Amino acid sequence: MAARRTVIATSARALGAALTLGAGVALVAGAVLIPLPQHSVAVTAVEVAPTPLPQSLVCPGSLLQLSNGAGADATSSSGIGSPKRNSGASEADVDIDQTPIAAPDNSTVTDETAPTVVTAPNADPGVLVAAAQSVAVSQEDVAGLASTNCAEAKADSWLVGGATTVGRTSFVLLSNPSEVTADVDLTFFDENGRLEAPGSTGITVDAQSQRVFSLAGFAPNAKYPVVHVVSTGGYVAASLQQTVIRGLEPGGIELSGTTTAPSTEMVFPGVKIAGTSAIAQRLSADGYADLQAALRVYVPGSSDATITVSVASESSGSADGSYSLSAPAGVVSELPLKDLPDGTYSVTLDSTEPIVASARTSVLSSGAIDFAWNQAAEPLDDDVLVPIAPGPSPRIHLANSGDDEATVTLRTASGNEVKIVVPAGGTKGLEAQPNTVYTATMTEPVSISVNYSSDGQLSAYTVAAPSELAAPIVIYP
């Protein structure tokens, strides 16, 4: 009987549990089947368009040497040559302001030779401003032409050029046009890889001032230096100056802006090859090897790069062929630019790995030597300004690395206009009017540079896209 009561009690509990579970399932099912009330609230959003700040460009000012000219102080830098500037805006009747900034590392600086900030403070939002400068020097130990596009300050940039071997002097120029201090870190690479450079981080560049550093202090005896510049707080416009002297013979001077960020494609419009016969006779002499036209390439990644070099001649307008080169990872290489007859070319690099690069060419004429560092130029598809600084025989160069034909319209402030058709993969050049600012409009992306050449003078600079204007932002209260 006791066992029977246990069974009945257990069965009753089981039945109760089943009934409870069933009621729960029915309740859940009812909740699913019965529509629940719905309620939604629209999120309030406000689109705010910040007022764009006016463009601010920095012209680096006079060239520099490691003494005061009398040789009394070889540990400080002093200015040589007076910069000649040209500036303009995309709209007529816009006042351009040129304001010198402090240059504490230049012992002979004046307002005329100081680095200069170029702005159009009263221009409407979206008005473009452009400027460029050139400096010609003819001294016993320094001679040549240096030109550069006055640039916007950046947080991150690359300098590819210079050397610190015997007879080569290079400076890194950091110009801060902003109202706040810039904290700058410099990282150096050369043919041996990344360099340990004490004192190269946490560099302070005061607001509205320029600092100058001898590259040899960070990268002594470097044949192929590359500098990575990273700035926080205020941004800086970085540039690199190099002078060459071989024995007692001046070998030229150049002032280079930044090249494009690491990429698998690099485009160099307007690479000028001149005086090849005279240069060939000098290459075997001690100290003259860097007269050879070459590509300087740094591969920042961990894999070696295979680079296809495509060359297009301005005389034909179309591609003239291609060849392949290899560049090891983590070090800087100088690769020969295939023997080319005198002329002007666009050079395109297609790499299996991201690279930074520049192209060096030289001129030897009437016994005088000069050289140019051609930096990579980004393809431009929006209107840009092309400033022409004073200088000998200025030319504008257009390179089309795309697959479609591009028509480029160049227009001056006076209304003069010229249209140039640049074939896919090709290049075109035209004479420019000195002291003119052109507005360039293109149907397809093209890369643009300006170069100058004459007996014993050679220089070049690229045209960069202006920074994006302040974009609208959406605020959710």
Side-chain angles (χ1 to χ4, degrees):
M1 289 297 291
R4 184 178 178 185
R5 285 195 298 269
T6 301
V7 171
I8 292 172
T10 301
S11 298
R13 286 194 297 269
L15 179 60
L19 292 172
T20 302
L21 179 61
V25 171
L27 181 62
V28 171
V32 172
L33 294 174
I34 298 172
L36 296 175
Q38 296 182 350
H39 180 68
S40 62
V41 178
V43 178
T44 302
V46 179
E47 184 176 270
V48 178
T51 301
L53 294 174
Q55 263 190 292
S56 179
L57 309 175
V58 184
C59 305
S62 67
L63 304 177
L64 299 163
Q65 60 183 357
L66 274 178
S67 69
N68 61 6
D73 186 2
T75 61
S76 66
S77 60
S78 58
I80 50 174
S82 295
K84 297 179 179 179
R85 290 183 293 271
N86 180 40
S87 60
S90 57
E91 290 187 2
D93 302 324
V94 171
D95 292 330
I96 304 295
D97 183 67
Q98 300 189 21
T99 305
I101 61 175
D105 298 318
N106 183 343
S107 62
T108 60
V109 68
T110 65
D111 283 351
E112 288 72 28
T113 62
T116 299
V117 177
V118 179
T119 59
N122 299 318
D124 293 334
V127 171
L128 301 179
V129 178
Q133 74 162 54
S134 63
V135 185
V137 179
S138 181
Q139 298 183 0
E140 186 175 339
D141 56 347
V142 180
L145 175 71
S147 65
T148 186
N149 198 11
C150 302
E152 291 186 276
K154 298 180 180 179
D156 190 299
S157 55
W158 292 83
L159 298 169
V160 182
T164 60
T165 50
V166 175
R168 280 73 181 161
T169 302
S170 299
F171 295 101
V172 175
L173 288 69
L174 306 174
S175 301
N176 175 10
S178 74
E179 301 288 343
V180 298
T181 298
D183 295 314
V184 182
D185 292 341
L186 303 177
T187 309
F188 299 90
F189 311 89
D190 71 357
E191 59 275 12
N192 298 310
R194 180 170 177 167
L195 302 177
E196 294 296 328
S200 61
T201 60
I203 295 171
T204 298
V205 183
D206 290 336
Q208 297 185 327
S209 70
Q210 179 192 80
R211 294 297 312 277
V212 177
F213 299 91
S214 171
L215 185 57
F218 298 114
N221 202 36
K223 293 172 65 178
Y224 313 141
V226 167
V227 187
H228 186 198
V229 182
V230 177
S231 176
T232 56
Y235 294 165
V236 296
S239 52
L240 189 146
Q241 178 196 305
Q242 180 186 2
T243 57
V244 175
I245 185 168
R246 300 176 177 91
L248 299 177
E249 181 183 25
I253 191 165
E254 181 66 312
L255 185 59
S256 307
T258 59
T259 195
T260 55
S263 173
T264 55
E265 182 178 85
M266 296 274 161
V267 182
F268 304 90
V271 177
K272 176 79 171 179
I273 304 293
T276 52
S277 298
I279 288 173
Q281 296 175 9
R282 294 283 193 100
L283 288 178
S284 60
D286 186 35
Y288 287 82
D290 56 359
L291 288 179
Q292 177 70 51
L295 299 166
R296 181 172 295 184
V297 175
Y298 172 60
V299 185
S302 57
S303 299
D304 295 348
T306 299
I307 302 169
T308 300
V309 182
S310 302
V311 179
S313 168
E314 283 190 2
S315 60
S316 65
S318 58
D320 290 346
S322 63
Y323 58 98
S324 294
L325 297 170
S326 297
V331 299
V332 185
S333 305
E334 278 209 352
L335 310 173
L337 194 56
K338 185 181 76 170
D339 289 341
L340 296 168
D342 286 5
T344 306
Y345 304 84
S346 71
V347 179
T348 301
L349 308 183
D350 287 299
S351 175
T352 57
E353 300 293 329
I355 58 174
V356 292
S358 65
R360 185 193 63 239
T361 59
S362 303
V363 61
L364 198 168
S365 179
S366 302
I369 300 174
D370 200 6
F371 64 95
W373 282 107
N374 300 265
Q375 304 301 323
E378 60 186 308
L380 307 168
D381 52 8
D382 292 328
D383 288 5
V384 295
L385 300 184
V386 183
I388 309 299
S393 303
R395 287 182 64 84
I396 298 173
H397 306 277
L398 311 168
N400 178 7
S401 57
D403 297 326
D404 298 310
E405 179 183 273
T407 299
V408 181
T409 302
L410 292 168
R411 185 175 58 258
T412 67
S414 62
N416 293 330
E417 185 175 287
V418 60
K419 292 183 182 294
I420 306 99
V421 176
V422 188
T427 183
K428 291 289 186 179
L430 71 157
E431 293 183 5
Q433 299 177 21
N435 295 311
T436 301
V437 176
Y438 293 85
T439 299
T441 302
M442 52 285 297
T443 59
E444 296 291 333
V446 297
S447 301
I448 305 176
S449 74
V450 177
N451 81 3
Y452 305 84
S453 63
S454 68
D455 286 350
Q457 291 187 328
L458 187 65
S459 190
Y461 55 83
T462 61
V463 175
S467 61
E468 294 184 3
L469 299 176
I473 58 176
V474 177
I475 299 176
Y476 299 95

